[in-house]
Amino acid sequence: MSNYHIKQFEEYYHVYRKSVRAPEQFWEEIAEEHFYWRKKWEKVLSWDFTKPEIKWFEGAKLNITENCLDRHLHSRANKTAILFEPNNPDEPAEHISYKQLHERVCKLANVLKEKGIEKGDRVCIYLPMIPELAVSVLACARIGAIHSVVFAGFSASALATRINDCDAKMVITSDGSYRGAKTIDLKGIVDEALDDCKGVASVLVAKRINSDITMKEGRDFWLQPLLDEAYNDYTAEVMDAEDPLFILYTSGSTGMPKGMMHTCGGYMVYTAYTFKNVFDYREDDVYWCTADIGWITGHSYIVYGPLANGATTVMFEGVPSYPDFSRFWDIVEKHKVTQFYTAPTAIRALAKQGTAFVEKHDLSTLKVLGTVGEPINEEAWHWYNENIGKKKSPIVDTWWQTETGGIMITPIPFSTPTKPTYATLPFIGIQPALMDEHGDEIQGNQVEGRLCIKYPWPSIARTIWGNHQRYKDTYFSAFDNMYFTGDGALRDEVGYYRITGRVDDVIIVSGHNLGTAPIEDAVNEHQAVAESAIVGFPHDVKGNALYGYITLKGSSEGRNQDNLRKEINQLITDRIGPIAKLDKIQFTAGLPKTRSGKIMRRILRKIASNETDQLGDTSTLLNPEVVQSIIDNAL
Ligand code: WT7
């Protein structure tokens, strides 16, 4: 019992030690005392990182929605589960109680069944941040269908790729979405995507913006009339702990996005336990995470983690700048938010606006602040601490990944002393290691290396959907018997971790993970382009921005470069989405290559970051002469 809520630093060390000395016993106790299982497990953990195969709570039976909804009905029926704050501040907020949420989930579960969705089927959810999104996620989980949420900022072609990769049978979407002063035609994007998705039999459409859309006879159905007819109870499907719960795509450094697959039991236990401790969650809190449910942060810390704890979780449809830059603080004041969890890029964008927007608002209810998604720089950390937390709310800088399912390295508020730019210490049960280039673990403190995890934790992704080999190659092959994160990190003199950034070809732009290869593929589709290389460079708001080096085909060299830049960015927007647009495009006569023909991105990265004094030896290149001309023409 006492291990469930850590309140002191001493206690952290005590519980941490316990959790790594006897992990199975530790997690068994947490799982047993704090969740509702239809049947207990036969074995807490079996694992083999060489295969790789990881199983938690094998043989156990449960439904995660019974833990997120049903078990709260006797004590919290009328408590707000989801507090929906619409895009337009003049539209009233919606307080959805646990009882109402249960009913809405059950109704949709019945609709899904009626439309032929069975346990194990994949359902793609392409919705804005409206209550239907959370309800759809939970309704899938209720019937044992595997949800695959695609962030509603992705393009038709990115959506189609994701639908086809997991063979989704159904898409749940809306007529459109609001984004600040703009509306987006989501249904139109779905229609375009579905031209390439033959496996989708039905589309459920929520009404949000009341736009005129076309409905395809026999395929498309308005959601509301179906819900109106549906029965308001649904007996949850009994799932194995290791049955898939969802697939969520994340960019890789090469090729197709990776469909990370998470399972029911371990994911539930870990997200709930981390939520409770990382946010020091207490019964009457109003917790707000500003992420979109289209990303893992929203899955774990808007939906599952908070609801498993019976919390009130805020869902915000809009953007921080609409109607003006005080919107976040307006919401904090209006709903008396106690925990606020956002991305460094949002903090930097808001800090740029000065403090006038903040000062107008009463933020005194806040007690814990969080950040996630990318390293937070010193300046942003202090701005957040001084202006939002008034130096009394601890900042939890939480490091984790889509693949890890839950928070991995983080302070525990009021327990771990924080340090700007440091994610500090491993969470309970997490065993990090820093590795050197020879594959050896680096011992001791004040060292830097590649960040790995030595031992499984309950919410680690179990595979990449349809491609277990790629799962093995990406995460378990760089170092023996270790999960490799793709990040570099340093450990300071007291053992605190600071994440230094990706060590692969993934670039984090505004907290979004972008692989360079798929963007290069999109650029190379342009008929004028011969070859391209994309690298990141530091940006004061986005953290990183994208710099594209592009060589044109001989026949296109005379073309207007500004027009080409526009066309190339349009192509990227069509293939991936606006988040992947290039900030700078430099046309070059050639790209620096090794003798084996590999593009030397390291050199391009240095040039993009204006660090040309650190290029190192370029004489061994196949074409050293291009380097100087790239430097001379750098943007
Ligand atoms: C990558 C994972 C985890 C949810 C959001 C992103 C970077 C994440 C931090 C942090 C420094 C961070 C890492 C990681 N990252 N949190 N607190 N400090 N870097 O999930 O899209 O899977 O991206 O985000 O590079 O590998 P994701």
Side-chain angles (χ1 to χ4, degrees), residues 32-180:
E32 193 150 0
E33 287 173 12
H34 301 280
F35 300 90
Y36 171 64
W37 304 87
R38 291 287 194 102
K39 177 178 167 283
K40 290 278 148 70
W41 42 92
E42 276 124 39
K43 195 165 184 327
V44 179
L45 169 67
S46 53
W47 66 292
D48 179 348
F49 275 176
T50 61
K51 278 185 180 170
E53 186 178 82
I54 303 130
K55 290 182 180 159
W56 281 92
F57 311 114
E58 215 175 334
K61 303 272 186 199
L62 77 152
N63 187 291
I64 195 168
T65 70
E66 290 188 327
N67 285 271
C68 290
L69 302 170
D70 304 59
R71 70 169 164 149
H72 306 310
L73 291 182
H74 59 282
S75 56
R76 302 187 179 103
N78 297 317
K79 178 177 175 176
T80 301
I82 293 178
L83 203 176
F84 172 62
E85 171 69 25
N87 177 66
N88 177 354
D90 299 330
E91 198 186 308
E94 192 183 344
H95 293 253
I96 304 169
S97 70
Y98 271 93
K99 184 163 179 287
Q100 291 166 329
L101 184 59
H102 178 267
E103 196 173 299
R104 286 174 73 162
V105 169
C106 285
K107 283 188 166 211
L108 182 52
N110 280 306
V111 170
L112 297 179
K113 281 300 259 205
E114 190 216 320
K115 290 287 169 215
I117 302 299
E118 297 293 332
K119 176 178 176 176
D121 285 346
R122 273 77 62 207
V123 173
C124 173
I125 303 172
Y126 187 72
L127 278 169
M129 282 287 284
I130 56 176
E132 284 81 355
L133 172 50
V135 172
S136 299
V137 161
L138 293 163
C140 286
R142 187 92 178 162
I143 69 169
I146 304 168
H147 57 78
S148 166
V149 183
V150 176
F151 172 61
F154 276 115
S155 70
S157 118
L159 174 62
T161 305
R162 287 159 176 78
I163 290 172
N164 287 331
D165 184 72
C166 70
D167 296 314
K169 257 173 112 168
M170 176 190 267
V171 177
I172 307 178
T173 188
S174 64
D175 52 355
S177 65
Y178 293 116
R179 203 177 156 72

Side-chain angles (χ1 to χ4, degrees), residues 314-340:
V314 175
M315 247 185 106
F316 174 44
E317 183 185 27
V319 293
S321 55
Y322 180 81
D324 64 35
F325 280 96
S326 62
R327 189 66 194 278
F328 273 7
W329 321 127
D330 185 44
I331 296 172
V332 168
E333 178 173 355
K334 178 170 161 196
H335 297 303
K336 302 187 166 47
V337 170
T338 47
Q339 288 94 346
F340 179 72

